[in-house]
């Protein structure tokens, strides 16, 4: 929803570009509708179980490749063994559009070919602790799209989980691209603000975050 005060676009760190309200309301509705379908299967949206037995408060479903802590596979062996749904070409194209928006037409946009999407759903109490995404064998940027409730996104440093970090509010429609040195930074979601979403997106509660990535693992289906 368009707020009273416009939030300017910001380069939070080298390669880390935040573009508020990049997704139109129509695109947000389309993403929500698509995520609803992907959440049903072939692999259902579920709370990921960590190797130590802990359960993530965030619920996740993947496209293209399935991520489980701490590897990618074609099939969701920790859920129901099913092969994950394909990553549709329109979504990969949306990822290239996002890079063009963040970095301009040169640079990584020409070769960007994301082959996995992780879709995270946060209810009002879900959190994501500080971590690095390092299962991908590619240094290509990560594209993050948010829909629904506003959250606090914590963007840290490449050394450790602690300070220095920068807290950024991510709201519905926001784009964030993490490339270059920022690709390997620690990050997390310490808080979601329940009830801040515009129900017109089709999501009446909670927050969706969709990240596009290159796994560097080879073409799915071969
Ligand atoms: C910076 N998701 O799925 S999106 C994740 O909002 C994840 O659900 C958060 O962290 C969420 O791994 C944050 C922003 C994000 C995603 C991946 C990154 C930032 C990143 C990878 C490298 C650096
Ligand atoms: Fe992450």
């Amino acid at each position: 929803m368009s707020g009273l005060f416009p939030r300017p676009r910001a380069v939070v760190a080298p390669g880390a570009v935040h573009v508020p309200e990049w997704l139109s309301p129509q695109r947000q509705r389309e993403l929500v509708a698509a995520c609803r379908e992907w959440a049903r299967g072939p692999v259902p949206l579920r709370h990921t179980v960590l190797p130590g037995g802990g359960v993530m408060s965030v619920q996740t479903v993947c496209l293209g490749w399935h991520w489980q802590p701490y590897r990618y596979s074609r099939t969701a062996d920790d859920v129901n063994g099913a092969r994950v749904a394909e990553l549709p070409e329109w979504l990969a194209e949306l990822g290239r559009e996002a890079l063009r928006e963040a970095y301009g037409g040169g640079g990584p946009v020409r070769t960007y070919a994301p082959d996995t999407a992780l879709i995270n759903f946060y209810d009002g109490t879900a959190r994501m602790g500080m971590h690095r995404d390092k299962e991908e064998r590619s240094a290509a940027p990560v594209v993050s799209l948010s829909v629904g409730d506003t959250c606090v996104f914590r963007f840290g440093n490449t050394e450790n989980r602690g300070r220095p970090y920068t807290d950024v509010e991510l709201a519905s429609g926001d784009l964030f691209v993490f490339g270059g040195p920022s690709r390997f930074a620690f990050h997390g979601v310490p808080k979601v603000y329940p009830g801040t979403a515009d129900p017109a997106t089709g999501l009446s509660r909670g927050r969706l975050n969709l990240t596009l990535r290159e796994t560097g693992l080879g073409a799915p289906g071969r």
Side-chain angles (χ1 to χ4, degrees):
M1 202 193 318
S2 197
L4 199 46
F5 304 103
R7 293 169 302 137
R9 152 190 190 117
V11 179
V12 174
V17 183
H18 179 205
V19 185
E21 290 180 59
W22 181 65
L23 290 170
S24 68
Q26 171 66 16
R27 272 198 156 161
Q28 293 179 54
R29 283 192 296 274
E30 287 164 5
L31 263 190
V32 169
C35 288
R36 265 191 214 294
E37 284 306 307
W38 293 322
R40 288 152 50 97
V43 181
L45 183 82
R46 93 296 181 207
H47 295 274
T48 301
V49 179
L50 300 167
V55 178
M56 291 178 69
S57 57
V58 175
Q59 299 170 72
T60 304
V61 64
C62 308
L63 307 177
W65 287 87
H66 178 77
W67 181 81
Q68 74 177 83
Y70 291 94
R71 65 188 175 93
Y72 283 101
S73 54
R74 315 274 196 195
T75 51
D77 307 322
D78 60 336
V79 186
N80 62 359
R83 189 180 167 112
V84 296
E86 295 288 325
L87 180 82
E89 194 47 41
W90 64 262
L91 196 49
E93 185 54 43
L94 188 61
R96 283 185 286 274
E97 264 182 64
L99 285 205
R100 217 173 289 128
E101 176 69 34
Y103 299 144
V109 64
R110 283 166 297 147
T111 53
Y112 192 54
D115 61 347
T116 189
L118 271 64
I119 298 156
N120 292 327
F121 178 73
Y122 295 72
D123 66 16
T125 61
R127 307 275 178 267
M128 192 177 286
M130 294 295 278
H131 67 279
R132 267 191 293 200
D133 295 38
K134 47 188 186 318
E135 280 67 63
E136 300 82 14
R137 293 182 206 161
S138 160
V142 172
V143 168
S144 155
L145 301 169
S146 296
V147 180
D149 284 340
T150 299
C151 76
V152 177
F153 172 67
R154 182 161 291 173
F155 184 72
N157 62 79
T158 54
E159 299 303 312
N160 60 64
R161 291 182 160 73
R163 292 172 194 275
Y165 50 70
T166 306
D167 284 351
V168 182
E169 283 196 358
L170 289 186
S172 204
D174 286 12
L175 163 67
F176 217 133
V177 178
F178 302 89
S182 295
R183 175 66 181 80
F184 303 104
F186 282 90
H187 57 277
V189 176
K191 175 139 193 70
V192 175
Y193 297 110
T196 51
D198 179 355
T201 61
L203 195 64
S204 59
R205 60 203 302 165
R207 166 175 187 262
L208 274 176
N209 180 266
L210 190 151
T211 51
L212 292 169
R213 306 144 189 244
E214 279 187 8
T215 62
L217 293 173
R222 317 254 162 97

